[in-house]
Amino acid sequence: MKKTVLIVLGSPNSPKGELSAISKSRLDFCANIFSKENVVLCTGGWGNHFNTSPKPHAYYAKAYLLKKGVLKDAFLKHAISSNTVDDAVKIKPIIEKLNDVRLTIITSDYHLERVKLIFNEILKSFELKFVGVETNLSEVAYNKLIAHEKKAVNSIINNGLYY
């Protein structure tokens, strides 16, 4: 039977390492579907747009999941990435060492279209399932994220994917 790798994509945290509502929604989803048959891979390093703290985002994500009951030995090596393309690129060598796995990529609803474009290209040799967790933000904040995503998706469609 194939083992499922639950991949939680990085998202913002404060300069002190406090996870954002977006981060917690993704991590809560992961914790809720986690079972002993799964392994977990957290992504996220540093970047001015999501983490300026001393530790990589994936460190805080793992700590949060451990508190939620995810088993310590269920974690794969972190993918210390700086953006969504970097997520997929840095995940690849980690999961290529595993046999007979399927990937469940956990992101946010507003980010799903871009994640599918990127991951279906870079990780096309794997069985992929995508989850876009509902984002509970103000309408203004949500619309700002949607506008950013539309720009990013159009850039990939018009210019291709560089990695």
Side-chain angles (χ1 to χ4, degrees), residues 9-101:
L9 299 189
S11 48
N13 57 258
S14 76
K16 293 181 180 177
E18 297 154 333
L19 295 169
S20 66
I22 293 169
S23 295
K24 288 179 181 177
S25 67
R26 295 176 186 187
L27 294 164
D28 287 341
F29 183 89
C30 178
N32 288 337
I33 66 166
F34 175 78
S35 73
K36 291 176 186 162
E37 293 79 40
N38 302 142
V39 291
V40 177
L41 194 162
C42 297
T43 75
W46 295 272
N48 288 336
H49 59 291
F50 76 99
N51 180 21
T52 59
S53 76
K55 294 189 170 137
H57 174 78
Y59 168 86
Y60 303 114
K62 178 180 178 180
Y64 184 87
L65 288 171
L66 287 168
K67 286 181 186 166
K68 291 283 187 170
V70 174
L71 304 173
K72 186 178 179 183
D73 60 356
F75 288 90
L76 297 173
K77 180 180 170 186
H78 297 321
I80 305 300
S81 51
S82 59
N83 59 58
T84 309
V85 173
D86 203 26
D87 284 337
V89 168
K90 291 197 171 147
I91 286 166
K92 193 172 184 180
I94 298 168
I95 58 174
E96 283 178 333
K97 295 175 184 162
L98 306 174
N99 293 319
D100 207 25
V101 295

